[in-house]
Amino acid sequence: MTGAIYLIQDKGQLVEMIEQPYDSEALLQKLLADYPSLLAGDQINSAAPRRWLLVSEEMPVPSEENGFDRWALDHLFLDQDGIPTLVEVKRSTDTRIRREVVGQMLDYAANAVVYWPAEKIIAQFNANCQIKSQDSEQILSNFLGADANPSEFWEKVKTNLQAGKIRLVFVADKIPPELQRIVEFLNKQMNPAEVLAIEINQYVGQGLKTLVPRIIGQTVAGKSTQSLLSYESKQWNESLFFQELEAKKGSDVAQAARNVFNWINCEKMQVSWGKGKIEGSLIPRIISYKGENRKFFTIWSGGNIEIYAYERPFNLEDKKTELLNRLKSVVGKSISVNAYNWYIPLSALKDELMAKQFLEVIDWAIQEIKAS
């Protein structure tokens, strides 16, 4: 017996609850999957408590581009700001919790930021919901709120991954002093990543069970730095965007993007500018016949146009195939195709005829979206 807490029931009965270890590591893992709030989001950030969206248990982690999945992370969560949160669970009786688990987690993190495209995370989230017979769109809507834009949320996830803005969380029933010291050190050194440990004590008594999470190793200096970083962003505008694009890709690519931007203005689409710290985004908005504010593509200051191949009606396989064939007939093999998002380099649109044909395809797609 290492500790106790006391519960006073409605009739005044005092229940002594004794601290007990978990029967298995798998039990603690399941509790986190079923009750993500055990990750103590209010302790991580009291001003803006973290909320959690479970992407997957046993999240595959590759070690090379398009390579096989070398590892499996215990849990991948996303918070409401789209920050990937990698969680590894160990019981205190497992000797690996002292050093080996740190190297293991760093392996996962180093490879995840390079080899996890946002579309893989989306696909894993959808697959996990399907396994549990859940509606992924409804789960995401409940998490973000009715007025939120799922596409913008997934863009945040992508931007955070590109910037290495992730959160590493070690979870156990007891965090040993050796791990606490390592976490404190890493949490001060690994900006913009955040490193935390969470101790979840279990108390049992008279058929009742209480779980008490507590953040371990979050130093004042580290907490202050991470708090500032969590909200650091850069508001892009037309001038900054095209300056950045020209500096990175040259004046001819910047002019190709300018031509697309001018076409967007001629079509009288709404335009918003992103707040990415690393890369700027130009986002046209399409108003469908139902009055919905829809988004079909984004132009990035890194030199790509990103097509959202999951936007209605292109979530239907026949329509998606038709769109892909139309785009390939214009830009050929320069298009990069993933499950949800497709990428076309702006350099492919330097040719005036190709740019004209590309915009004709985009115009067709927009009419399809408006009618859906």
Side-chain angles (χ1 to χ4, degrees), residues 96-108 168 170 178-179 182-183 186 195:
R96 292 175 300 169
I97 195 173
R98 284 159 175 79
R99 290 185 181 177
E100 187 176 327
V101 70
V102 176
Q104 184 180 36
M105 179 71 96
L106 293 178
D107 265 340
Y108 296 166
L168 314 182
F170 301 94
E178 299 95 329
L179 179 57
I182 293 171
V183 167
L186 292 177
V195 185

PDB file of all heavy atoms in Angstrom, residues 96-108 168 170 178-179 182-183 186 195:
ATOM      1  N   ARG A  96      11.868  -0.773 -18.793  1.00  0.00           N
ATOM      2  CA  ARG A  96      12.137   0.037 -19.983  1.00  0.00           C
ATOM      3  C   ARG A  96      11.668   1.477 -19.817  1.00  0.00           C
ATOM      4  O   ARG A  96      12.050   2.351 -20.608  1.00  0.00           O
ATOM      5  CB  ARG A  96      11.449  -0.580 -21.205  1.00  0.00           C
ATOM      6  CG  ARG A  96      12.029  -1.912 -21.647  1.00  0.00           C
ATOM      7  CD  ARG A  96      11.217  -2.497 -22.787  1.00  0.00           C
ATOM      8  NE  ARG A  96       9.838  -2.725 -22.387  1.00  0.00           N
ATOM      9  CZ  ARG A  96       8.862  -3.026 -23.256  1.00  0.00           C
ATOM     10  NH1 ARG A  96       9.121  -3.108 -24.546  1.00  0.00           N
ATOM     11  NH2 ARG A  96       7.634  -3.240 -22.814  1.00  0.00           N
ATOM     12  N   ILE A  97      10.836   1.739 -18.806  1.00  0.00           N
ATOM     13  CA  ILE A  97      10.306   3.084 -18.624  1.00  0.00           C
ATOM     14  C   ILE A  97      11.392   4.081 -18.233  1.00  0.00           C
ATOM     15  O   ILE A  97      11.228   5.288 -18.354  1.00  0.00           O
ATOM     16  CB  ILE A  97       9.170   3.090 -17.559  1.00  0.00           C
ATOM     17  CG1 ILE A  97       8.364   4.398 -17.645  1.00  0.00           C
ATOM     18  CG2 ILE A  97       9.720   2.894 -16.161  1.00  0.00           C
ATOM     19  CD1 ILE A  97       7.158   4.412 -16.759  1.00  0.00           C
ATOM     20  N   ARG A  98      12.523   3.616 -17.783  1.00  0.00           N
ATOM     21  CA  ARG A  98      13.546   4.534 -17.303  1.00  0.00           C
ATOM     22  C   ARG A  98      14.369   5.145 -18.429  1.00  0.00           C
ATOM     23  O   ARG A  98      14.597   6.341 -18.456  1.00  0.00           O
ATOM     24  CB  ARG A  98      14.444   3.819 -16.286  1.00  0.00           C
ATOM     25  CG  ARG A  98      13.752   3.679 -14.930  1.00  0.00           C
ATOM     26  CD  ARG A  98      14.332   2.579 -14.057  1.00  0.00           C
ATOM     27  NE  ARG A  98      13.696   2.605 -12.732  1.00  0.00           N
ATOM     28  CZ  ARG A  98      12.497   2.098 -12.468  1.00  0.00           C
ATOM     29  NH1 ARG A  98      11.804   1.523 -13.413  1.00  0.00           N
ATOM     30  NH2 ARG A  98      11.991   2.174 -11.261  1.00  0.00           N
ATOM     31  N   ARG A  99      14.819   4.368 -19.389  1.00  0.00           N
ATOM     32  CA  ARG A  99      15.628   4.943 -20.455  1.00  0.00           C
ATOM     33  C   ARG A  99      15.179   4.504 -21.843  1.00  0.00           C
ATOM     34  O   ARG A  99      15.086   5.312 -22.751  1.00  0.00           O
ATOM     35  CB  ARG A  99      17.101   4.561 -20.254  1.00  0.00           C
ATOM     36  CG  ARG A  99      17.747   5.253 -19.063  1.00  0.00           C
ATOM     37  CD  ARG A  99      19.223   4.925 -18.985  1.00  0.00           C
ATOM     38  NE  ARG A  99      19.859   5.558 -17.829  1.00  0.00           N
ATOM     39  CZ  ARG A  99      21.137   5.380 -17.509  1.00  0.00           C
ATOM     40  NH1 ARG A  99      21.899   4.591 -18.237  1.00  0.00           N
ATOM     41  NH2 ARG A  99      21.649   5.993 -16.449  1.00  0.00           N
ATOM     42  N   GLU A 100      14.912   3.220 -21.981  1.00  0.00           N
ATOM     43  CA  GLU A 100      14.622   2.681 -23.309  1.00  0.00           C
ATOM     44  C   GLU A 100      13.415   3.348 -23.944  1.00  0.00           C
ATOM     45  O   GLU A 100      13.395   3.611 -25.150  1.00  0.00           O
ATOM     46  CB  GLU A 100      14.398   1.175 -23.213  1.00  0.00           C
ATOM     47  CG  GLU A 100      14.255   0.491 -24.557  1.00  0.00           C
ATOM     48  CD  GLU A 100      14.120  -1.013 -24.421  1.00  0.00           C
ATOM     49  OE1 GLU A 100      14.721  -1.583 -23.493  1.00  0.00           O
ATOM     50  OE2 GLU A 100      13.408  -1.611 -25.254  1.00  0.00           O
ATOM     51  N   VAL A 101      12.393   3.657 -23.140  1.00  0.00           N
ATOM     52  CA  VAL A 101      11.185   4.246 -23.688  1.00  0.00           C
ATOM     53  C   VAL A 101      11.454   5.634 -24.273  1.00  0.00           C
ATOM     54  O   VAL A 101      10.783   6.066 -25.220  1.00  0.00           O
ATOM     55  CB  VAL A 101      10.069   4.317 -22.616  1.00  0.00           C
ATOM     56  CG1 VAL A 101      10.393   5.349 -21.538  1.00  0.00           C
ATOM     57  CG2 VAL A 101       8.721   4.631 -23.255  1.00  0.00           C
ATOM     58  N   VAL A 102      12.456   6.346 -23.748  1.00  0.00           N
ATOM     59  CA  VAL A 102      12.779   7.675 -24.269  1.00  0.00           C
ATOM     60  C   VAL A 102      13.349   7.556 -25.680  1.00  0.00           C
ATOM     61  O   VAL A 102      12.932   8.267 -26.606  1.00  0.00           O
ATOM     62  CB  VAL A 102      13.770   8.400 -23.341  1.00  0.00           C
ATOM     63  CG1 VAL A 102      14.176   9.737 -23.940  1.00  0.00           C
ATOM     64  CG2 VAL A 102      13.152   8.606 -21.959  1.00  0.00           C
ATOM     65  N   GLY A 103      14.306   6.662 -25.862  1.00  0.00           N
ATOM     66  CA  GLY A 103      14.855   6.450 -27.194  1.00  0.00           C
ATOM     67  C   GLY A 103      13.794   5.977 -28.168  1.00  0.00           C
ATOM     68  O   GLY A 103      13.770   6.383 -29.342  1.00  0.00           O
ATOM     69  N   GLN A 104      12.906   5.120 -27.696  1.00  0.00           N
ATOM     70  CA  GLN A 104      11.805   4.616 -28.512  1.00  0.00           C
ATOM     71  C   GLN A 104      10.919   5.765 -28.979  1.00  0.00           C
ATOM     72  O   GLN A 104      10.590   5.887 -30.168  1.00  0.00           O
ATOM     73  CB  GLN A 104      11.001   3.626 -27.671  1.00  0.00           C
ATOM     74  CG  GLN A 104       9.873   2.922 -28.396  1.00  0.00           C
ATOM     75  CD  GLN A 104       9.129   1.962 -27.465  1.00  0.00           C
ATOM     76  OE1 GLN A 104       8.962   2.237 -26.275  1.00  0.00           O
ATOM     77  NE2 GLN A 104       8.697   0.844 -27.993  1.00  0.00           N
ATOM     78  N   MET A 105      10.542   6.640 -28.055  1.00  0.00           N
ATOM     79  CA  MET A 105       9.683   7.763 -28.396  1.00  0.00           C
ATOM     80  C   MET A 105      10.370   8.724 -29.369  1.00  0.00           C
ATOM     81  O   MET A 105       9.743   9.230 -30.312  1.00  0.00           O
ATOM     82  CB  MET A 105       9.268   8.510 -27.134  1.00  0.00           C
ATOM     83  CG  MET A 105       8.385   9.716 -27.394  1.00  0.00           C
ATOM     84  SD  MET A 105       6.712   9.281 -27.923  1.00  0.00           S
ATOM     85  CE  MET A 105       5.853   9.359 -26.351  1.00  0.00           C
ATOM     86  N   LEU A 106      11.652   8.974 -29.167  1.00  0.00           N
ATOM     87  CA  LEU A 106      12.374   9.882 -30.066  1.00  0.00           C
ATOM     88  C   LEU A 106      12.472   9.290 -31.470  1.00  0.00           C
ATOM     89  O   LEU A 106      12.425  10.022 -32.462  1.00  0.00           O
ATOM     90  CB  LEU A 106      13.757  10.191 -29.504  1.00  0.00           C
ATOM     91  CG  LEU A 106      13.776  11.013 -28.217  1.00  0.00           C
ATOM     92  CD1 LEU A 106      15.199  11.219 -27.723  1.00  0.00           C
ATOM     93  CD2 LEU A 106      13.090  12.367 -28.408  1.00  0.00           C
ATOM     94  N   ASP A 107      12.614   7.975 -31.567  1.00  0.00           N
ATOM     95  CA  ASP A 107      12.577   7.310 -32.874  1.00  0.00           C
ATOM     96  C   ASP A 107      11.237   7.591 -33.561  1.00  0.00           C
ATOM     97  O   ASP A 107      11.182   7.959 -34.735  1.00  0.00           O
ATOM     98  CB  ASP A 107      12.747   5.795 -32.711  1.00  0.00           C
ATOM     99  CG  ASP A 107      14.184   5.343 -32.884  1.00  0.00           C
ATOM    100  OD1 ASP A 107      14.975   6.088 -33.492  1.00  0.00           O
ATOM    101  OD2 ASP A 107      14.517   4.248 -32.398  1.00  0.00           O
ATOM    102  N   TYR A 108      10.153   7.396 -32.816  1.00  0.00           N
ATOM    103  CA  TYR A 108       8.819   7.617 -33.380  1.00  0.00           C
ATOM    104  C   TYR A 108       8.672   9.066 -33.856  1.00  0.00           C
ATOM    105  O   TYR A 108       8.193   9.321 -34.965  1.00  0.00           O
ATOM    106  CB  TYR A 108       7.739   7.329 -32.337  1.00  0.00           C
ATOM    107  CG  TYR A 108       7.665   5.899 -31.844  1.00  0.00           C
ATOM    108  CD1 TYR A 108       6.939   5.586 -30.699  1.00  0.00           C
ATOM    109  CD2 TYR A 108       8.300   4.863 -32.513  1.00  0.00           C
ATOM    110  CE1 TYR A 108       6.843   4.278 -30.236  1.00  0.00           C
ATOM    111  CE2 TYR A 108       8.218   3.560 -32.054  1.00  0.00           C
ATOM    112  CZ  TYR A 108       7.494   3.270 -30.912  1.00  0.00           C
ATOM    113  OH  TYR A 108       7.402   1.981 -30.452  1.00  0.00           O
ATOM    114  N   LEU A 168       5.085  15.011 -27.144  1.00  0.00           N
ATOM    115  CA  LEU A 168       5.457  13.649 -26.764  1.00  0.00           C
ATOM    116  C   LEU A 168       5.041  13.435 -25.319  1.00  0.00           C
ATOM    117  O   LEU A 168       5.429  14.207 -24.440  1.00  0.00           O
ATOM    118  CB  LEU A 168       6.966  13.436 -26.911  1.00  0.00           C
ATOM    119  CG  LEU A 168       7.624  13.928 -28.213  1.00  0.00           C
ATOM    120  CD1 LEU A 168       9.111  13.605 -28.212  1.00  0.00           C
ATOM    121  CD2 LEU A 168       6.938  13.322 -29.422  1.00  0.00           C
ATOM    122  N   PHE A 170       4.674  10.634 -22.144  1.00  0.00           N
ATOM    123  CA  PHE A 170       4.914   9.341 -21.506  1.00  0.00           C
ATOM    124  C   PHE A 170       3.861   9.157 -20.411  1.00  0.00           C
ATOM    125  O   PHE A 170       3.696  10.036 -19.556  1.00  0.00           O
ATOM    126  CB  PHE A 170       6.306   9.295 -20.874  1.00  0.00           C
ATOM    127  CG  PHE A 170       7.428   9.537 -21.864  1.00  0.00           C
ATOM    128  CD1 PHE A 170       7.947  10.816 -22.049  1.00  0.00           C
ATOM    129  CD2 PHE A 170       7.968   8.493 -22.594  1.00  0.00           C
ATOM    130  CE1 PHE A 170       8.975  11.046 -22.942  1.00  0.00           C
ATOM    131  CE2 PHE A 170       9.002   8.715 -23.496  1.00  0.00           C
ATOM    132  CZ  PHE A 170       9.503   9.992 -23.673  1.00  0.00           C
ATOM    133  N   GLU A 178      14.186   9.109 -12.769  1.00  0.00           N
ATOM    134  CA  GLU A 178      15.089   9.178 -13.925  1.00  0.00           C
ATOM    135  C   GLU A 178      14.359   9.706 -15.161  1.00  0.00           C
ATOM    136  O   GLU A 178      14.884  10.539 -15.900  1.00  0.00           O
ATOM    137  CB  GLU A 178      15.669   7.788 -14.232  1.00  0.00           C
ATOM    138  CG  GLU A 178      16.491   7.203 -13.102  1.00  0.00           C
ATOM    139  CD  GLU A 178      15.679   6.291 -12.201  1.00  0.00           C
ATOM    140  OE1 GLU A 178      14.450   6.527 -12.052  1.00  0.00           O
ATOM    141  OE2 GLU A 178      16.258   5.344 -11.664  1.00  0.00           O
ATOM    142  N   LEU A 179      13.124   9.217 -15.379  1.00  0.00           N
ATOM    143  CA  LEU A 179      12.344   9.677 -16.530  1.00  0.00           C
ATOM    144  C   LEU A 179      11.911  11.125 -16.334  1.00  0.00           C
ATOM    145  O   LEU A 179      11.911  11.911 -17.286  1.00  0.00           O
ATOM    146  CB  LEU A 179      11.118   8.785 -16.727  1.00  0.00           C
ATOM    147  CG  LEU A 179      10.188   9.170 -17.883  1.00  0.00           C
ATOM    148  CD1 LEU A 179      10.938   9.203 -19.205  1.00  0.00           C
ATOM    149  CD2 LEU A 179       8.999   8.204 -17.964  1.00  0.00           C
ATOM    150  N   ILE A 182      14.702  13.430 -17.364  1.00  0.00           N
ATOM    151  CA  ILE A 182      14.871  13.464 -18.821  1.00  0.00           C
ATOM    152  C   ILE A 182      13.779  14.313 -19.464  1.00  0.00           C
ATOM    153  O   ILE A 182      14.039  15.130 -20.363  1.00  0.00           O
ATOM    154  CB  ILE A 182      14.850  12.032 -19.396  1.00  0.00           C
ATOM    155  CG1 ILE A 182      16.074  11.245 -18.926  1.00  0.00           C
ATOM    156  CG2 ILE A 182      14.819  12.065 -20.924  1.00  0.00           C
ATOM    157  CD1 ILE A 182      16.037   9.777 -19.261  1.00  0.00           C
ATOM    158  N   VAL A 183      12.545  14.147 -18.999  1.00  0.00           N
ATOM    159  CA  VAL A 183      11.426  14.919 -19.539  1.00  0.00           C
ATOM    160  C   VAL A 183      11.623  16.410 -19.298  1.00  0.00           C
ATOM    161  O   VAL A 183      11.418  17.238 -20.193  1.00  0.00           O
ATOM    162  CB  VAL A 183      10.093  14.439 -18.921  1.00  0.00           C
ATOM    163  CG1 VAL A 183       8.966  15.420 -19.222  1.00  0.00           C
ATOM    164  CG2 VAL A 183       9.735  13.056 -19.454  1.00  0.00           C
ATOM    165  N   LEU A 186      14.337  17.611 -21.763  1.00  0.00           N
ATOM    166  CA  LEU A 186      13.871  17.657 -23.152  1.00  0.00           C
ATOM    167  C   LEU A 186      12.826  18.748 -23.354  1.00  0.00           C
ATOM    168  O   LEU A 186      12.806  19.415 -24.386  1.00  0.00           O
ATOM    169  CB  LEU A 186      13.307  16.299 -23.559  1.00  0.00           C
ATOM    170  CG  LEU A 186      14.301  15.142 -23.670  1.00  0.00           C
ATOM    171  CD1 LEU A 186      13.572  13.840 -24.002  1.00  0.00           C
ATOM    172  CD2 LEU A 186      15.359  15.428 -24.724  1.00  0.00           C
ATOM    173  N   VAL A 195       7.473  18.017 -24.460  1.00  0.00           N
ATOM    174  CA  VAL A 195       7.685  16.686 -23.893  1.00  0.00           C
ATOM    175  C   VAL A 195       7.118  16.665 -22.474  1.00  0.00           C
ATOM    176  O   VAL A 195       7.488  17.501 -21.641  1.00  0.00           O
ATOM    177  CB  VAL A 195       9.180  16.311 -23.863  1.00  0.00           C
ATOM    178  CG1 VAL A 195       9.358  14.878 -23.380  1.00  0.00           C
ATOM    179  CG2 VAL A 195       9.802  16.496 -25.247  1.00  0.00           C
TER     180      VAL A 195
END
